[in-house]
Amino acid sequence: MSMAQSRRDFLGMVFGGFAAAGGLAALYAMKRTWDPLPSVMAAGFTTVDLSPMKEGELRTVTWRGKPIFILKKPPEENCNHLPDETKKRLVKIGDSEYLVMIGLCTHLGCIPTWEPEKKIFHCACHGGEYDACGVNTFGPPPRPMDIPPFKIEGTKLVLGEEGPEYKKLVGKA
Amino acid sequence: MAHFTKANSVYEWLDQRLALTKLWKVLAAEYWVPKNINFLWAMGVVLMTMFTILVISGIFLLMYYKPDTKLAFDSVNYTIMQEVWYGWLWRHMHAVAASVVFLVIYIHMLTGIYYASYKRGREMIWISGMLLFVTFSAEAFSGYMLPWGQMSYWAAQVITNLFGGIPFIGDDLVIWIRGNFYVSDPTLTRFFMLHVFLMPIIIMMLIGFHFYSLRIPHVNNQEGEEIDFDAEAEKYKAGLKKESKVIPFWPVFISKDLFVLGVFMIFYFYLVFYHYDFAMDPINFDPANPMKTPPHIYPEWYFLWSYEVLRGFFFNVGPLSAMDMGLIAFGIANIIFFFLPWFDKNDEVAPAAKRGGFFIWFWLLVADMIVLTIWGKLPPTGFNAYIGYVAAVGFLALFAALPAVTARKKGLLSLVILVTLALYIAGYLEYTKALGNGIVIIALFAIFYLLFFLNPVFVKNRGGAQ
């Protein structure tokens, strides 16, 4: 009697274990099926030549479907008002300094608009504001606009690769 | 094998094999409903009809819709709207039904709250109904993406971004949900699948479960009277129809239901033919453009209240950013109704008008949700931001106060009210920039959330009149 019972328990556990393993494998396959495809991952690089840009000009380029703001800063606007650790948001490429950041509001991902006369980025979705250095000054945005991984090649900017300048900027080096 | 005799008719032949007579009795002819109910109890049948209309009109739209970012917009706005005969009718019926279905859901929910139909054995009815609310919300959101207009796109962008607020896995989760770094083709096709297959299947199963959950506790009535359904049914079957407190679903109750449904359908088709534009945002007639955000983004009217809770917090409190607080409040707002049976500490089943302070609580909740809905559509600039804050904190405060209100604990209720008022003043000082991220606000929020989460656990049940 007890023999039969323990044999039945054993069979139950074997069956349960088998079913659980199969279920986990299926869940993993389902998770992977929803992952971005290799072609999507590979298309993640954008190269921009910055030499034709004028001082004070804002250019928007696309990288991974996101707008990237590139602002060539006039020398007098070097973000000195920021405390030391965030001052380094400027990138020196050639002789000029640039602000390179992902042009999405860090609140919920709308695209802020650059208002050149007020020198602010204004997000129309929830009223967030950023100063000319991309630092949040009003409203719900929790942090300054993000800096995308980049590499500098002469006067060219390669988005999607982590160069030494990027690592220095975000404190990874 | 069971014993079968020769059948004398097709019905009898089927009855022997499928027990049709018994099934019909169980589901309709001897399914007992209290007499003492009003038109608000017809909302279930109205919802069922609306869902059927959504499925049928959806089938016709599905035959021409193309779930591809290059084709979707034109397949809706050109093919369906201009080429397919009566394509405009299916689209307008689908869009209007999707909108009014939420109106009826809200009436249905508020009826349940007003008449206390969520407690004393009816908790599972309430929970299955709330699950339906959540799945209908997911269905509406995924469907709104399909025409691939500007509002579709940016609503998808904003809502999928919300998952980025989850600690540690947030950023990767957003990419996983979208199937790309941004909302794009894989996002559209997977939400298309959710909208036309997975969510409808889940909704149908939940509707079945919602109906089933009614069988044992039965439908509530206008006075919250406890009815002996078996005894009353016997009276009815014995011919004492006048004395009995119940009526059968078929054909008696359904005739009342169908009358209410008829009135509602006049309203519905009036909207479909003459005012379909309210469910069709003009911004959504611009094709989706990932590089250009519309100046002002807002969801459809039925999501505005929770959207306003999300953006109601406009200042940081110590380590918590405004966005984190908005996300936490939004998360709470979306699940808090599930816990209503446990936040209500009174066992008494009676209409709100007979439940003292609860009556005031109910109408404050309705008023607050209306304010949230109106301000959810306004741009959150200037004083609007402060009103949004007051209404969002007010929504949470109402739930924090509910255990004290229903258990009649005046001291505790005063405490909740005082803390809420202090939060309003602190918020105003913050709005006028008169106060930094002071320790006072942090302490106030800490007390507030403490009251919110611990209140329902520590306040004892107050037994109602048996």
Side-chain angles (χ1 to χ4, degrees):
Chain A
M1 184 69 189
S2 73
M3 255 322 263
Q5 196 59 47
S6 69
R7 193 165 69 182
R8 198 170 285 176
D9 285 351
F10 175 72
L11 281 170
M13 280 189 284
V14 168
F15 175 77
F18 232 73
L24 282 175
L27 276 179
Y28 178 73
M30 289 176 194
K31 190 263 169 196
R32 288 296 283 162
T33 305
W34 268 50
D35 274 342
L37 306 179
S39 58
V40 167
M41 299 302 285
F45 301 96
T46 305
T47 307
V48 209
D49 185 7
L50 301 178
S51 51
M53 277 184 77
K54 294 187 195 66
E55 270 184 11
E57 181 191 345
L58 177 83
R59 255 176 89 175
T60 308
V61 297
T62 313
W63 168 72
R64 292 184 181 173
K66 292 177 183 133
I68 303 296
F69 290 162
I70 303 171
L71 183 64
K72 186 166 181 176
K73 302 291 275 185
E76 65 275 14
E77 283 180 31
N78 50 8
C79 298
N80 269 344
H81 66 284
L82 298 174
D84 281 345
E85 67 271 22
T86 45
K87 192 173 152 188
K88 303 169 288 184
R89 289 177 63 81
L90 291 181
V91 192
K92 207 166 167 71
I93 304 171
D95 297 330
S96 313
E97 290 192 305
Y98 294 84
L99 181 68
V100 179
M101 58 192 187
I102 299 176
L104 294 177
C105 182
T106 49
H107 179 220
L108 288 175
C110 298
I111 304 174
T113 35
W114 170 238
E115 297 181 356
E117 64 287 353
K118 282 197 239 166
K119 296 210 182 295
I120 58 162
F121 292 94
H122 177 247
C123 180
C125 290
H126 303 93
E129 280 174 19
Y130 301 83
D131 66 14
C133 295
V135 177
N136 49 318
T137 51
F138 175 80
R143 58 176 192 277
M145 278 188 256
D146 293 325
I147 295 172
F150 64 85
K151 201 176 82 175
I152 297 164
E153 287 177 354
T155 57
K156 283 184 187 148
L157 184 71
V158 182
L159 292 161
E161 218 174 310
E162 296 189 2
E165 294 84 358
Y166 169 76
K167 285 185 179 155
K168 212 176 115 199
L169 200 61
V170 296
K172 269 194 194 171
Chain B
M1 192 171 154
H3 181 68
F4 283 85
T5 52
K6 188 176 160 36
N8 294 315
S9 68
V10 176
Y11 179 80
E12 207 183 311
W13 189 87
L14 285 170
D15 197 30
Q16 285 172 348
R17 283 151 184 84
L18 300 172
L20 291 182
T21 307
K22 194 173 179 193
L23 184 72
W24 181 247
K25 269 190 185 177
V26 169
L27 292 181
E30 291 186 11
Y31 174 55
W32 305 99
V33 181
K35 264 183 195 169
N36 183 22
I37 55 181
N38 59 35
F39 77 98
L40 290 167
W41 270 266
M43 294 306 143
V45 164
V46 173
L47 282 172
M48 196 62 218
T49 311
M50 283 290 107
F51 181 66
T52 311
I53 286 180
L54 283 164
V55 171
I56 293 171
S57 55
I59 288 171
F60 286 93
L61 293 170
L62 187 52
M63 290 188 281
Y64 289 96
Y65 176 74
K66 294 196 163 59
D68 181 307
T69 51
K70 292 188 187 73
L71 306 171
F73 186 82
D74 285 338
S75 76
V76 174
N77 290 300
Y78 178 70
T79 312
I80 291 173
M81 290 302 282
Q82 298 185 36
E83 281 211 291
V84 179
W85 280 282
Y86 292 103
W88 58 270
L89 177 68
W90 302 122
R91 191 189 181 192
H92 290 168
M93 280 177 71
H94 202 73
V96 173
S99 195
V100 294
V101 86
F102 278 92
L103 175 70
V104 187
I105 286 175
Y106 286 135
I107 296 173
H108 198 54
M109 265 174 79
L110 289 170
T111 305
I113 298 175
Y114 187 89
Y115 289 102
S117 308
Y118 52 84
K119 54 184 169 180
R120 282 270 293 273
R122 295 199 176 90
E123 291 86 351
M124 286 315 294
I125 306 175
W126 179 255
I127 288 172
S128 58
M130 281 309 300
L131 285 171
L132 275 166
F133 175 72
V134 171
T135 44
F136 263 88
S137 300
E139 180 69 357
F141 166 65
S142 55
Y144 199 68
M145 194 187 291
L146 302 186
W148 208 242
Q150 271 292 65
M151 225 29 147
S152 303
Y153 186 86
W154 288 95
Q157 183 82 9
V158 170
I159 302 290
T160 49
N161 236 342
L162 288 180
F163 293 93
I166 297 171
F168 308 114
I169 57 162
D171 292 340
D172 292 330
L173 185 64
V174 172
I175 295 174
W176 184 74
I177 290 170
R178 291 175 179 167
N180 199 337
F181 300 104
Y182 60 114
V183 173
S184 54
D185 199 61
T187 327
L188 178 63
T189 41
R190 66 187 52 180
F191 276 87
F192 170 71
M193 177 282 291
L194 290 175
H195 184 72
V196 303
F197 180 73
L198 192 56
M199 293 323 290
I201 292 280
I202 294 174
I203 286 174
M204 286 177 206
M205 293 195 301
L206 281 172
I207 290 175
F209 179 59
H210 193 52
F211 287 173
Y212 174 65
S213 70
L214 271 163
R215 300 220 63 109
I216 292 166
H218 278 94
V219 177
N220 191 14
N221 56 75
Q222 273 195 95
E223 304 303 324
E225 185 190 349
E226 218 176 283
I227 295 172
D228 183 343
F229 278 83
D230 292 331
E232 298 299 324
E234 285 313 314
K235 272 193 217 164
Y236 190 92
K237 284 198 275 187
L240 300 166
K241 295 187 181 179
K242 211 168 176 183
E243 288 80 359
S244 175
K245 288 176 178 169
V246 297
I247 45 174
F249 180 80
W250 185 278
V252 187
F253 178 69
I254 193 78
S255 55
K256 192 172 180 174
D257 257 1
L258 290 178
F259 173 73
V260 178
L261 182 64
V263 174
F264 181 80
M265 293 309 268
I266 292 171
F267 165 70
Y268 167 69
F269 278 107
Y270 167 73
L271 291 179
V272 168
F273 290 116
Y274 299 102
H275 277 290
Y276 53 85
D277 50 320
F278 89 97
M280 302 264 178
D281 198 287
I283 297 173
N284 220 22
F285 286 91
D286 289 332
N289 181 356
M291 286 297 125
K292 187 172 163 277
T293 316
H296 180 45
I297 297 182
Y298 43 82
E300 287 289 277
W301 72 268
Y302 41 84
F303 290 144
L304 286 171
W305 70 271
S306 56
Y307 184 67
E308 187 61 12
V309 171
L310 171 71
R311 59 178 203 174
F313 297 85
F314 61 90
F315 54 88
N316 302 336
V317 174
L320 273 180
S321 67
M323 183 190 177
D324 293 335
M325 298 210 307
L327 272 175
I328 294 169
F330 177 74
I332 293 174
N334 277 298
I335 57 161
I336 193 62
F337 280 103
F338 277 96
F339 298 98
L340 190 62
W342 293 276
F343 271 67
D344 185 337
K345 290 292 170 188
N346 190 340
D347 271 350
E348 201 181 340
V349 178
K354 291 184 182 166
R355 279 190 284 159
F358 186 84
F359 184 67
I360 300 163
W361 185 89
F362 176 83
W363 288 111
L364 278 176
L365 178 75
V366 174
D368 190 61
M369 288 181 81
I370 292 173
V371 170
L372 284 169
T373 301
I374 294 171
W375 265 265
K377 185 124 187 185
L378 299 175
T381 44
F383 200 62
N384 285 342
Y386 181 67
I387 294 176
Y389 168 77
V390 167
V393 171
F395 181 82
L396 298 176
L398 278 166
F399 277 91
L402 186 57
V405 170
T406 47
R408 312 234 165 118
K409 299 250 195 254
K410 283 195 181 127
L412 194 56
L413 180 60
S414 320
L415 182 63
V416 176
I417 293 173
L418 275 177
V419 174
T420 310
L421 289 177
L423 276 174
Y424 285 169
I425 295 166
Y428 187 74
L429 293 175
E430 195 50 49
Y431 169 73
T432 55
K433 307 263 185 207
L435 194 67
N437 289 328
I439 191 83
V440 185
I441 300 196
I442 301 177
L444 281 173
F445 268 101
I447 298 169
F448 184 72
Y449 282 99
L450 213 65
L451 284 170
F452 188 89
F453 288 110
L454 297 183
N455 231 352
V457 183
F458 285 118
V459 179
K460 285 254 160 48
N461 257 28
R462 176 185 172 276
Q466 297 296 317

